[in-house]
């Protein structure tokens, strides 16, 4: 790429549709100052095609870009693909004429193994580990926080007598079996399974560990998990007033958590599954697919049979009561970082099959991070719901560079199929980590790079000094992995000037109590956490502060130089696309994209000594305030504000701010006509943008929409398009 360039990712579902609206606006505005907007398609469809060598692999290109020191990327949310989504996407692409091999459920021969191996890199969080070559600075912009305080969102009431609680494992889980070492020299480690006869199976070889890296191994024991799930089921059965739910991360923890979900289904639905063993065995259905696919397998009577089975035991929480979608219907219906904050925001309640909100027994099998949610529940029982009008804010500095911690462990997570011992060994035979295992256990290793840890600490110091707020490292001396990190954190703090910074190290329960006490007093606290906890915290606190995590600004200063700017959460993306298809109303809030663009423009100004880019950043920030103050956020119903009308308003406010600024008269003159015309033609443009609402539309594809159709549906105003497309 030549000259100043901003790269915008084309991803999936709602962000893809929203990009069709905003990318033309962005391209026109940036062209005025000589900045190119390059798009990179890293959608699930594009990655599947690349895996079969039927299209360019833009994810590889972006990986090279983030390592170059020149990256300036705005990254929108993408699908963390499950096997079911991969199959559905392949079917759609084949219907469009691509002739792709089917994704095999099981690999029975070398050809199927080769096909599966090509698709495997597409599964789960394939995108984020490639792009996140830096640690995370995630916060609510001042304009967004001010708007949330002035217009506080609904919070459910908490009762001191609430029966809501977290149930988690006390032994036999990843946390309690974890072993962790910090190597003092580089090595190529090997993960080996040794059976009871001494035969060895290499699970992973050539695991490159550098001096100072932290290497972990942990095992979730099948018998302990089974006993724990049975106990949770029995406890829920003792009360008629609670619902039972399991909260996992099956999208990101793509090897372990779908299996754990399957164990939940198999345990809580055991009598029903035994009574339908014959059709289940014939079909090859497995519990980790969820009850939704089982209902389809059982034919027309399937949904009713599933409903009756759910009613036979303790009440299972519903993901969507009107449609009968339970939290056991699919592994991705109850994703912990979204589901637990939603439950807490609702007063500790989830819905039963009738839609009645009940107290909840929230089952979180691995105890590594369960204390976060229990501590917040305890605080809410004692002090009531949080008040968005007065509460402080909790930005996060997250350790996520170089596939940090558990999210980077997919290729080192294994479902054990025999009794034996798993060892992590160096080439000279030294055993670094060792676990006795049995069939059904889940064993994983995690590698956290020393350079990433130290960069994380330095970023936390910079943020603590810049804000003057306390920075709390959420690390637990009793957890093996955290002990190793604490030694590196301490060393890095000693090497940096922290005299004027308030820096603390606390375990999860204490850090939560400290943070929420300050939150209630309207005080701000920096949370400094590892990767999975980063994901949990950056949903938990934004959802109670702002009502959504999509309004957070996520800045990733890349370790090689340059920046990655992420645009918020995509949890509602599938439902909002469905609404577009059903009634052509689009409720995606592109505020995250607008906010991420501000620091991206500031980087362009710094990298290329372009004062005009800084003016565009400042005026876009003004436009965002106008957009929020004007109440133009998309609403849920036909006739409400829409993502397309939001695009008009952000363009109008931005052009107006540019026309009124006095730092660059030429820039003001260049946008004066657009600002005038957008205001003068408001009624016509809004009429054209909303004229077709209420009618179903066909985009020519869910995973890969027809680009011509997508453009016509997302950009229906001829007048608005003409003004934007002719801007010089």
């Amino acid at each position: 790429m030549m000259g100043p360039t901003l790269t915008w990712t084309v991803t999936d579902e709602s962000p893809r549709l929203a990009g069709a609206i905003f990318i033309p606006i962005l391209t026109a505005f940036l062209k005025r100052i000589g900045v190119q907007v390059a798009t990179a398609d890293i959608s699930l469809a594009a990655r599947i095609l690349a895996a079969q060598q039927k299209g360019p692999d833009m994810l590889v290109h972006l990986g090279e870009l983030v390592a170059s020191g020149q990256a300036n990327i705005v990254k929108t949310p993408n699908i963390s693909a499950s096997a079911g989504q991969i199959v559905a996407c392949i079917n759609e692409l084949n219907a469009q004429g691509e002739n792709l091999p089917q994704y095999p459920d099981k690999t029975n021969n070398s050809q199927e193994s080769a096909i599966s191996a090509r698709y495997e890199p597409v599964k789960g969080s394939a995108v984020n580990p490639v792009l996140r070559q830096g640690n995370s600075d995630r916060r609510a912009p001042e304009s967004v926080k001010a708007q949330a305080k002035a217009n506080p969102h609904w919070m459910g009431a908490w009762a001191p007598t609430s029966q809501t609680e977290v149930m988690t494992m006390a032994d036999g889980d990843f946390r309690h079996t974890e072993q962790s070492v910090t190597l003092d020299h580089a090595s190529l480690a090997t993960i080996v399974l040794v059976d009871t006869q001494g035969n060895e199976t290499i699970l992973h070889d050539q695991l490159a560990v550098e001096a100072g890296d932290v290497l972990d191994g942990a095992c979730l024991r099948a018998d302990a998990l089974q006993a724990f799930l049975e106990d949770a089921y029995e406890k829920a059965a003792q009360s008629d007033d609670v619902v039972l739910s399991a909260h996992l991360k099956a999208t990101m923890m793509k090897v372990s958590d779908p299996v754990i979900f399957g164990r939940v289904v198999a345990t809580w639905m055991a009598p029903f599954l035994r009574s339908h063993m014959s059709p289940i065995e014939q079909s090859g259905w497995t519990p980790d697919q969820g009850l939704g696919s089982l209902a389809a397998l059982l034919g027309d009577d399937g949904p009713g049979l599933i409903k009756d089975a759910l009613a036979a035991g303790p009440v299972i929480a519903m993901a969507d009561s009107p449609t009968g979608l339970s939290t056991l219907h699919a592994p991705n219906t109850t994703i912990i970082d979204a589901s637990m904050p939603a439950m807490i925001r609702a007063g500790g309640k989830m819905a039963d099959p009738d839609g009645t909100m009940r107290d909840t027994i929230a089952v979180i099998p691995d105890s590594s991070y369960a204390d976060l949610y229990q501590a917040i529940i305890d605080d809410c029982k004692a002090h009531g719901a949080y008040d968005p009008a007065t509460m402080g804010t909790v930005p996060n500095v997250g350790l996520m560079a170089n596939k940090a911690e558990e999210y980077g462990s997919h290729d080192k997570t294994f479902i054990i199929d025999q009794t034996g011992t798993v060892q992590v060994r160096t080439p000279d035979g030294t055993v670094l980590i060792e676990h006795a295992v049995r069939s059904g256990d889940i064993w994983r290793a995690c590698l956290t790079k020393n350079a990433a840890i130290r960069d994380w600490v330095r970023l936390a110091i910079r943020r603590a000094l810049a804000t003057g707020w306390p920075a709390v490292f959420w690390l637990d001396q009793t957890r093996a992995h955290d002990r190793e990190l604490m030694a590196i954190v301490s060393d890095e703090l000693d090497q940096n000037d922290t005299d004027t910074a308030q820096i603390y190290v606390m375990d999860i329960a204490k850090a939560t109590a400290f943070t929420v006490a300050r939150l209630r007093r309207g005080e701000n606290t920096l949370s400094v956490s590892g990767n999975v906890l980063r994901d949990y915290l950056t949903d938990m606190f934004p959802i109670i502060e702002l009502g959504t995590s999509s309004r957070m600004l996520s800045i990733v200063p890349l370790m090689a130089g340059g920046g990655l700017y992420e645009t918020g959460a995509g949890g509602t993306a599938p439902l909002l696309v469905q609404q577009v298809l059903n009634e052509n109303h689009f409720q995606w809030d592109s505020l995250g994209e607008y906010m991420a663009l501000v620091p991206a423009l500031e980087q362009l100004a710094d990298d290329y000594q372009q004062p005009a880019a800084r003016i565009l950043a400042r005026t876009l920030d003004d436009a965002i305030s106008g957009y929020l103050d004007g109440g133009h956020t998309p609403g849920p119903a036909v006739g409400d504000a829409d993502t397309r009308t939001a695009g008009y308003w952000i363009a109008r406010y931005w052009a107006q701010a540019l026309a009124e600024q006095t730092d660059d008269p030429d820039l003001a003159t260049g946008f004066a006509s657009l600002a005038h015309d957008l205001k003068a033609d408001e009624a016509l443009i809004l009429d054209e943008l909303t004229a077709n609402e209420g009618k179903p539309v066909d985009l020519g594809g869910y995973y890969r929409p027809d680009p011509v159709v997508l453009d016509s549906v997302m950009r229906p105003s001829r007048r608005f398009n003409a003004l934007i497309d002719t801007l010089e």
Side-chain angles (χ1 to χ4, degrees):
M1 296 178 187
M2 300 298 292
T5 302
L6 183 144
T7 301
W8 193 279
T9 63
V10 175
T11 53
D12 305 287
E13 298 173 327
S14 292
R16 187 185 193 113
L17 272 57
I21 298 167
F22 188 58
I23 291 172
I25 298 169
L26 176 62
T27 301
F29 275 64
L30 267 59
K31 181 174 66 175
R32 189 69 181 73
I33 63 167
V35 174
Q36 176 187 357
V37 177
T39 56
D41 190 345
I42 55 171
S43 64
L44 177 58
R47 289 184 284 121
I48 285 174
L49 291 169
Q52 298 299 324
Q53 299 182 334
K54 286 179 171 286
D57 195 330
M58 295 305 295
L59 186 56
V60 169
H61 164 71
L62 291 183
E64 295 169 349
L65 183 59
V66 298
S68 72
Q70 304 299 314
N72 190 329
I73 302 171
V74 175
K75 191 265 178 187
T76 56
N78 61 279
I79 290 174
S80 293
S82 65
Q85 288 172 311
I86 292 173
V87 169
C89 186
I90 292 170
N91 290 338
E92 179 180 301
L93 291 169
N94 283 339
Q96 295 174 351
E98 292 294 349
N99 193 29
L100 298 168
Q102 290 294 331
Y103 178 76
D105 289 335
K106 298 180 179 178
T107 53
N108 299 311
N109 52 53
S110 60
Q111 181 180 7
E112 289 180 347
S113 295
I115 293 170
S116 178
R118 288 203 300 273
Y119 283 131
E120 186 65 24
V122 178
K123 285 179 67 177
S125 55
V127 170
N128 291 338
V130 174
L131 297 187
R132 288 175 170 171
Q133 299 305 310
N135 292 304
S136 169
D137 169 8
R138 193 161 164 83
R139 52 184 120 134
E142 290 184 12
S143 58
V144 172
K145 183 64 175 175
Q147 200 266 350
K149 285 189 170 185
N151 302 277
H153 61 85
W154 172 84
M155 294 285 283
W158 275 84
T161 56
S162 170
Q163 298 181 64
T164 294
E165 65 173 312
V166 169
M167 285 192 68
T168 192
M169 296 176 70
D171 57 62
D173 62 337
F174 290 124
R175 186 200 185 288
H176 288 92
T177 61
E178 187 173 67
Q179 300 174 29
S180 187
V181 295
T182 302
L183 269 68
D184 59 7
H185 62 280
S187 181
L188 285 175
T190 303
I191 304 173
V192 180
L193 172 61
V194 185
D195 70 15
T196 54
Q197 305 302 312
N199 301 308
E200 296 188 354
T201 301
I202 295 177
L203 301 178
H204 194 295
D205 61 356
Q206 305 296 304
L207 176 58
V209 186
E210 297 177 303
D213 291 352
V214 176
L215 180 63
D216 309 321
C219 182
L220 181 67
R221 304 201 180 282
D223 55 355
L225 176 62
Q226 178 70 26
F228 165 72
L229 294 175
E230 290 174 357
D231 287 346
Y233 188 83
E234 290 302 318
K235 181 164 188 173
Q238 294 170 12
S239 173
D240 294 330
D241 301 323
V242 300
V243 291
L244 178 65
S245 62
H247 301 261
L248 297 161
K249 188 72 170 172
T251 49
M252 300 286 271
M253 312 294 267
K254 66 180 182 179
V255 178
S256 60
D257 283 29
V259 172
I260 298 171
F261 172 81
R263 307 274 174 86
V264 173
V265 173
T267 303
W268 293 355
M269 301 297 292
F272 178 75
L273 298 181
R274 284 195 297 269
S275 68
H276 292 81
M277 189 57 67
S278 178
I280 288 173
E281 288 180 339
Q282 292 174 16
S283 71
W285 178 88
T286 57
D288 57 358
Q289 295 172 261
L291 297 181
S293 59
L294 179 58
L297 167 69
L298 297 176
D300 293 342
D301 294 335
L305 292 171
I306 296 291
K307 181 179 179 181
D308 291 344
L310 289 170
V315 181
I316 302 297
M318 304 299 287
D320 187 44
S321 298
T323 62
L325 181 68
S326 79
T327 51
L328 300 184
H329 266 63
N332 60 348
T333 54
T334 313
I335 302 302
I336 184 171
D337 48 330
S339 60
M340 286 300 294
M343 183 266 282
I344 289 167
R345 184 187 173 194
K349 299 179 184 297
M350 295 182 71
D352 70 8
D354 295 327
T356 301
M357 301 298 287
R358 301 197 197 187
D359 291 342
T360 306
I361 295 178
V363 173
I364 303 175
D366 181 29
S367 64
S368 297
Y369 307 107
D371 281 353
L372 162 68
Y373 300 113
Q374 186 60 58
I376 290 179
I377 288 168
D378 291 343
D379 180 74
C380 288
K381 287 182 182 179
H383 304 291
Y386 300 103
D387 184 353
T390 61
M391 67 195 302
T393 189
V394 187
N396 179 263
V397 176
L399 172 61
M400 69 177 193
N402 301 141
K403 303 181 182 180
E405 294 192 321
E406 290 94 332
Y407 282 178
S409 69
H410 310 312
D411 64 337
K412 300 179 285 295
T413 300
F414 308 97
I415 313 304
I416 303 300
D417 60 3
Q418 58 188 307
T419 298
T421 304
V422 173
Q423 296 179 337
V424 183
R425 300 195 301 226
T426 60
D428 64 3
T430 301
V431 177
L432 301 174
I433 293 169
E434 183 174 45
H435 289 93
V437 293
R438 301 174 70 177
S439 180
D441 290 352
I442 304 171
W443 190 94
R444 75 176 182 210
C446 303
L447 180 64
T448 313
K449 308 299 289 182
N450 184 276
I453 300 167
R454 293 184 181 277
D455 179 80
W456 170 59
V457 179
R458 291 191 293 269
L459 178 58
I461 294 170
R462 292 199 301 273
R463 290 297 297 145
L465 292 173
T467 61
W469 304 337
V472 180
F473 283 84
W474 295 49
L475 296 171
D476 185 350
Q477 179 68 32
T478 67
R479 181 181 172 186
H481 169 77
D482 285 10
R483 281 197 302 273
E484 300 299 311
L485 256 64
M486 288 168 75
I488 300 171
V489 168
S490 178
D491 181 66
E492 192 62 35
L493 289 173
D494 288 343
Q495 295 183 39
N496 287 269
D497 182 7
T498 60
D499 289 347
T500 60
Q502 303 176 65
I503 295 179
Y504 305 92
V505 178
M506 301 180 185
D507 65 38
I508 292 173
K510 290 179 180 176
T512 305
F514 176 83
T515 300
V516 297
R518 291 178 55 83
L519 197 70
R520 288 186 182 277
R521 296 195 298 267
E523 298 171 344
N524 307 325
T525 311
L526 286 168
S527 61
V528 188
S529 66
N531 198 22
V532 178
L533 190 53
R534 169 198 61 81
D535 218 17
Y536 295 174
L537 294 175
T538 56
D539 276 304
M540 182 71 253
F541 288 113
I543 286 173
I544 60 176
E545 285 182 42
L546 312 174
T548 174
S549 59
S550 65
R551 292 190 164 194
M552 294 291 281
L553 174 60
S554 183
I555 300 172
V556 183
L558 297 169
M559 293 173 65
L564 174 72
Y565 305 96
E566 299 193 72
T567 64
T572 59
L575 295 175
L576 301 185
V577 174
Q578 198 59 51
Q579 187 178 17
V580 172
L581 299 176
N582 292 340
E583 54 189 16
N584 199 17
H585 179 76
F586 192 22
Q587 196 195 340
W588 178 259
D589 186 356
S590 287
L591 181 64
E593 288 95 300
Y594 308 152
M595 294 188 306
L597 186 55
V598 173
L601 288 168
E602 291 171 343
Q603 181 191 325
L604 284 169
D606 292 337
D607 289 350
Y608 294 95
Q609 290 76 53
Q610 276 214 352
R614 194 169 301 281
I615 293 172
L616 257 72
R618 188 182 71 242
T619 51
L620 177 56
D621 207 27
D622 293 338
I624 291 170
S625 293
Y627 165 78
L628 292 173
D629 293 343
H632 302 302
T633 300
V638 171
D640 290 342
D642 175 281
T643 314
R644 288 162 285 207
T645 62
Y648 160 76
W649 285 110
I650 204 73
R652 174 172 160 179
Y653 287 129
W654 198 4
Q656 179 182 328
L658 283 162
E660 292 175 353
Q661 58 81 32
T662 57
D663 292 334
D664 188 329
D666 289 341
L667 201 57
T669 300
F671 280 94
S673 177
L674 178 63
H676 173 273
D677 291 343
L678 287 174
K679 182 177 181 180
D681 294 337
E682 173 187 333
L684 171 63
I685 291 171
L686 292 177
D687 283 346
E688 290 180 338
L689 288 172
T690 59
N692 294 318
E693 277 204 346
K695 306 171 186 176
V697 294
D698 183 350
L699 297 176
Y702 180 88
Y703 294 97
R704 187 175 69 168
D706 182 297
V708 175
V709 175
L710 181 62
D711 186 72
S712 67
V713 172
M714 292 294 111
R715 303 186 71 206
S717 171
R718 302 175 92 180
R719 179 56 177 158
F720 186 39
N721 296 347
L723 291 173
I724 294 299
D725 295 344
T726 59
L727 179 65
E728 295 293 342

